[in-house]
Amino acid sequence: MPLATPIGTNVVTAVARRFIMSEVVDNIYGGNPVFFRLNTANKRIVQGGTHIEVPLMYQRFSNGGPYSGFDVLDVSPNDTVKNGAWAWKQYYVPVSVDGLTLIKTDSPQAIANFIQLYFAQAEMEMAENLATGLWSNGVTNTNHIDGFEGAVDDGGVLATYAGITRASNTWWNSDDDSTTSTLTLNALQTAFMDASRGGRHPTLIVSRVEQYNRFIALEDDKQRYNVAVAGHDEQLLSAGFTNVLFNNVPWVIDPHVFDGPNPSNSAIVMLNEDFIHLAVSPRADFYLQDFQESQTQDAMVSKLFWAGNLVVTNCRVQAKLTNISA
């Protein structure tokens, strides 16, 4: 252990205390609006099971309809349901502290409770890891959540989603505009309507900042169109996230959105949250393990746990534009 170095080296530094602002400033973590939104309104507690399984209606009855008098009625059974299956995915964040650190920070003059600070950052780290997982592709790291890049797809990224092969089950494909390279209102409207079924339509549009700015610039240049840009979603605004509107649907910036044509341009993703759930185990919903002391060190460690998966139960009502660069 090296000798302590005095802070006071002259009259001023010896008798004057340093002033440290009583706050800890986040210079690391980006915004997580989609994780916040799903965790707030679309979280589903799933208790137990070898995996998460959901029945999916994928076609209409093949019989039934008008008849007259003694017509023979076709009452043969219909097979209209398949199950999608999602594996449990686990995340953790450790919190480790040694006895000497606790001694140093055990002071009424400490600007923050050291343990509380560490746990607050652990929660932020967990949210950041989950936000990254939400936008993963299900291929690069299969320990991640089955993210939107693979879920909102037509087989080009993820050929099989939730155990269902997309090539032989085209009803399981999302709308993927991979050809349009210049953002236009017509391209956005086409994708929006392709992902709409009756009164159900995308409820959230997400991109990184460059595509968000393109949409604003596009609207500023075409004010004659009756498409609202100004406006806010109350849930997003309450958490400090700003947004604009397209077809009265909030468009929000999320820095975790996967790349479009290149790393400088993200995809634009249209999500229908009516069919998106953040399935979570009650045993690992930001569960904080008790501190465990080391047998050979003056130290202790705790871990923050999460377990669940992203479950998209209707891929046809999701859309993405993956080639916009201008």
Side-chain angles (χ1 to χ4, degrees), residues 52 56 83-87 146 158 160-166 172 312:
I52 304 158
L56 308 167
N83 279 16
W86 291 261
D146 296 329
L158 197 61
T160 299
Y161 175 64
I164 299 175
T165 303
R166 284 180 155 136
W172 201 225
V312 178

Side-chain angles (χ1 to χ4, degrees), residues 5 55 68 75 77 92 134 174 254 278 283 306 316:
T5 302
S68 177
V75 294
Y92 83 102
L134 282 179
S174 304
D254 194 315
L278 192 63
R283 292 180 59 86
W306 186 94
R316 288 196 302 173

Side-chain angles (χ1 to χ4, degrees), residues 56-58 84 86 146-155 158-166 169-176 191-192 194-197 202 269-272 274-276 310-320:
L56 308 167
M57 288 188 296
Y58 68 95
W86 291 261
D146 296 329
F148 285 122
E149 185 175 2
V152 183
D153 189 45
D154 58 0
L158 197 61
T160 299
Y161 175 64
I164 299 175
T165 303
R166 284 180 155 136
N169 296 277
T170 55
W171 55 271
W172 201 225
N173 289 332
S174 304
D175 181 68
D176 180 4
F192 189 92
D194 286 344
S196 300
R197 296 290 185 278
V269 186
M270 298 182 177
L271 303 174
N272 187 324
D274 293 341
F275 302 97
I276 298 174
L310 176 70
V311 175
V312 178
T313 59
N314 190 337
C315 298
R316 288 196 302 173
V317 293
Q318 323 293 333
K320 61 183 178 181

